[in-house]
Amino acid sequence: MATFSDSGALSYLSMLLLSILVAYCATAAADFYRDAEITWGDGRAKILDGGRMLTLSLDQQSGSGFQSKNDYLFGRFDLQLKLVPGNSAGTVTTFFLSSQGAGHDEIDFEFLGNTSGEPYTVHTNVYAQGKGDKEQRFHLWFDPTAAFHTYSIVWNPQRIIFLVDNSPIRVFNNHKSIGIPFPTSQPMRVQCSLWNADDWATQGGRVKTDWTKAPFVAYYRNFKIDGCPVGTSGGSCGFQSQTQELDAKGRNRMRWVQEKHMIYNYCADVRRFPQGTSAECKRPRF
Ligand SMILES: *[C@@H]1O[C@H](CO)[C@@H](O)[C@H](O)[C@H]1NC(C)=O
């Protein structure tokens, strides 16, 4: 009996400590005042709720955007987004990493709006040394405008993993050994924006933005970065995902997402690449 209640008390204590730790990390993690700066939009981007929420808005005059204050060389970047509801045709909401200057590297999540009731498209791409053409697109298996969902980019020296609510949807592996550029040396910054691209975004540009519905608003919260800010003293920055790869569960989940929800894959687009798709397309996808 004594043993039972001891271990009960012990596990109660560790639960308590764990919840304090989780609460502390959650508050320490999400503060747009501390970690982000509004970059454009003339008042259309707003930090709310003591730094816990950020809204971007778009009207016929302008969209808006923000970025992380720091640059990072590798890391895990999580954001929760609630996308523009209703008729969002022509709007593009973004969450991406980008380096500065020529020959830039970039890792993209772009959310392409649609007419009411039609699915959003999640567009992903990777640029290395200025070269992209690595698009994969998905429809989501939930309504991304009804609630917040978590979108994550894991970027380590071996691979880039895109996740939606912790389900991996795409892995882009480092195939530098076979001559495919991969971002490993240019620090990147988180960039987010809401802008208009009705010349191409929705159903190939056929559906235009209905400006009578403006302003369009997207919501961001729980901005969380576990990474290596450039300029951090010492060369010993560690982050949890630095060797992250998919386990069996992750591989199964990604197979499911890609089978059921992928709508475009550059690796399968032989019409666009008549000389043959890129070499990494012949490698295993995990
Ligand atoms: C919009 O809806 C159409 C029809 O369901 C779909 O084909 C398309 O992928 C959706 N997304 C965009 C961005 O056009």
Side-chain angles (χ1 to χ4, degrees), residues 112-114 118-119 121 139 201-203 263:
L112 315 183
N114 218 332
E118 296 302 327
T121 292
H139 284 162
T202 303
Q203 299 173 38
I263 57 164

Side-chain angles (χ1 to χ4, degrees), residues 3 12 15 21 33 38 43 46 49 57 71 74 135-136 159 171 185-186 190 233 238 265:
T3 324
Y12 173 75
M15 281 308 287
L21 193 70
Y33 285 120
I38 289 167
K46 290 194 182 73
D49 204 8
S57 96
D71 292 292
F74 307 118
E135 299 88 351
Q136 286 185 352
R159 65 190 63 81
V171 175
S185 55
Q186 306 190 76
V190 179
S233 57
N265 183 2

Side-chain angles (χ1 to χ4, degrees), residues 28-239:
D31 184 349
F32 285 107
Y33 285 120
R34 187 193 55 211
D35 297 331
E37 57 197 14
I38 289 167
T39 41
W40 62 288
D42 202 16
R44 287 173 183 82
K46 290 194 182 73
I47 297 177
L48 306 169
D49 204 8
R52 282 191 290 275
M53 170 101 89
L54 193 154
T55 59
L56 293 181
S57 96
L58 162 73
D59 56 45
Q60 208 158 2
Q61 277 67 53
S62 177
S64 49
F66 69 95
Q67 65 183 16
S68 61
K69 285 188 182 162
N70 288 318
D71 292 292
Y72 298 85
L73 196 58
F74 307 118
R76 177 179 173 128
F77 307 84
D78 295 283
L79 253 178
Q80 292 191 325
L81 273 77
K82 191 151 74 96
L83 300 175
V84 175
N87 183 355
S88 57
T91 71
V92 177
T93 307
T94 69
F95 160 32
F96 63 105
L97 302 177
S98 182
S99 68
Q100 318 292 306
H104 82 298
D105 296 338
E106 190 176 311
I107 304 170
D108 290 334
F109 261 125
E110 296 188 0
F111 303 89
L112 315 183
N114 218 332
T115 44
S116 299
E118 296 302 327
Y120 259 82
T121 292
V122 181
H123 169 101
T124 63
N125 202 359
V126 175
Y127 288 78
Q129 293 155 34
K131 197 181 166 322
D133 294 339
K134 311 283 184 202
E135 299 88 351
Q136 286 185 352
R137 290 182 164 189
F138 306 83
H139 284 162
L140 292 166
W141 50 96
F142 51 82
D143 175 2
T145 73
F148 282 93
H149 291 270
T150 306
Y151 303 91
S152 316
I153 297 170
V154 171
W155 170 38
N156 64 39
Q158 299 83 37
R159 65 190 63 81
I160 292 162
I161 309 173
F162 295 84
L163 303 110
V164 174
D165 288 334
N166 253 332
S167 289
I169 63 165
R170 174 177 189 180
V171 175
F172 185 80
N173 284 306
N174 184 342
H175 285 303
K176 268 191 162 168
S177 60
I178 55 165
I180 307 296
F182 185 90
T184 48
S185 55
Q186 306 190 76
M188 298 204 259
R189 194 172 289 177
V190 179
Q191 309 258 6
C192 297
S193 56
L194 174 57
W195 54 292
N196 186 255
D198 67 0
D199 53 330
W200 62 267
T202 303
Q203 299 173 38
R206 289 188 299 281
V207 186
K208 302 298 172 195
T209 299
D210 178 2
W211 291 113
T212 66
K213 301 289 190 302
F216 302 98
V217 180
Y219 298 82
Y220 293 77
R221 72 175 193 198
N222 277 342
F223 190 31
K224 213 175 90 188
I225 300 175
D226 177 19
C228 304
V230 172
T232 317
S233 57
S236 62
C237 165
F239 66 104

